[in-house]
Amino acid sequence: MLTKLKNASEIAVDLEHHSYRSYAGFLCLMQISDKDQDWVIDLLAVRDDVETLNEVFTDPAVVKVCLFT
């Protein structure tokens, strides 16, 4: 997934959080899409490795579209 996202010109991102009994809440699910494929990421399962996505999220050449509802 990371290799494909690094080569994307734009991606869409949607985040789901859990806030029951928590003021700030925490992220638990991330959905990422490029033009061809969709991924659903369990952030609780990959908590220790999720920082590898910083490579894509900090790249100014990749347009990020965030979905808020």
Side-chain angles (χ1 to χ4, degrees), residues 4-62:
K4 192 152 169 54
L5 290 174
K6 286 182 193 178
N7 294 315
S9 56
E10 60 270 330
I11 61 172
V13 181
D14 185 27
L15 299 170
E16 306 296 333
H17 77 284
H18 174 69
S19 60
Y20 184 68
R21 296 186 180 173
S22 170
Y23 176 74
F26 53 91
L27 294 175
C28 53
L29 185 73
M30 179 185 294
Q31 301 163 66
I32 303 178
S33 299
D34 68 2
K35 291 180 180 179
D36 302 316
Q37 198 166 358
D38 305 309
W39 296 273
V40 178
I41 304 162
D42 180 350
L43 293 175
L44 301 176
V46 297
R47 177 183 355 205
D48 296 334
D49 300 314
V50 76
E51 74 271 357
T52 58
L53 287 172
N54 285 342
E55 226 176 306
V56 174
F57 285 106
T58 59
D59 184 351
V62 179

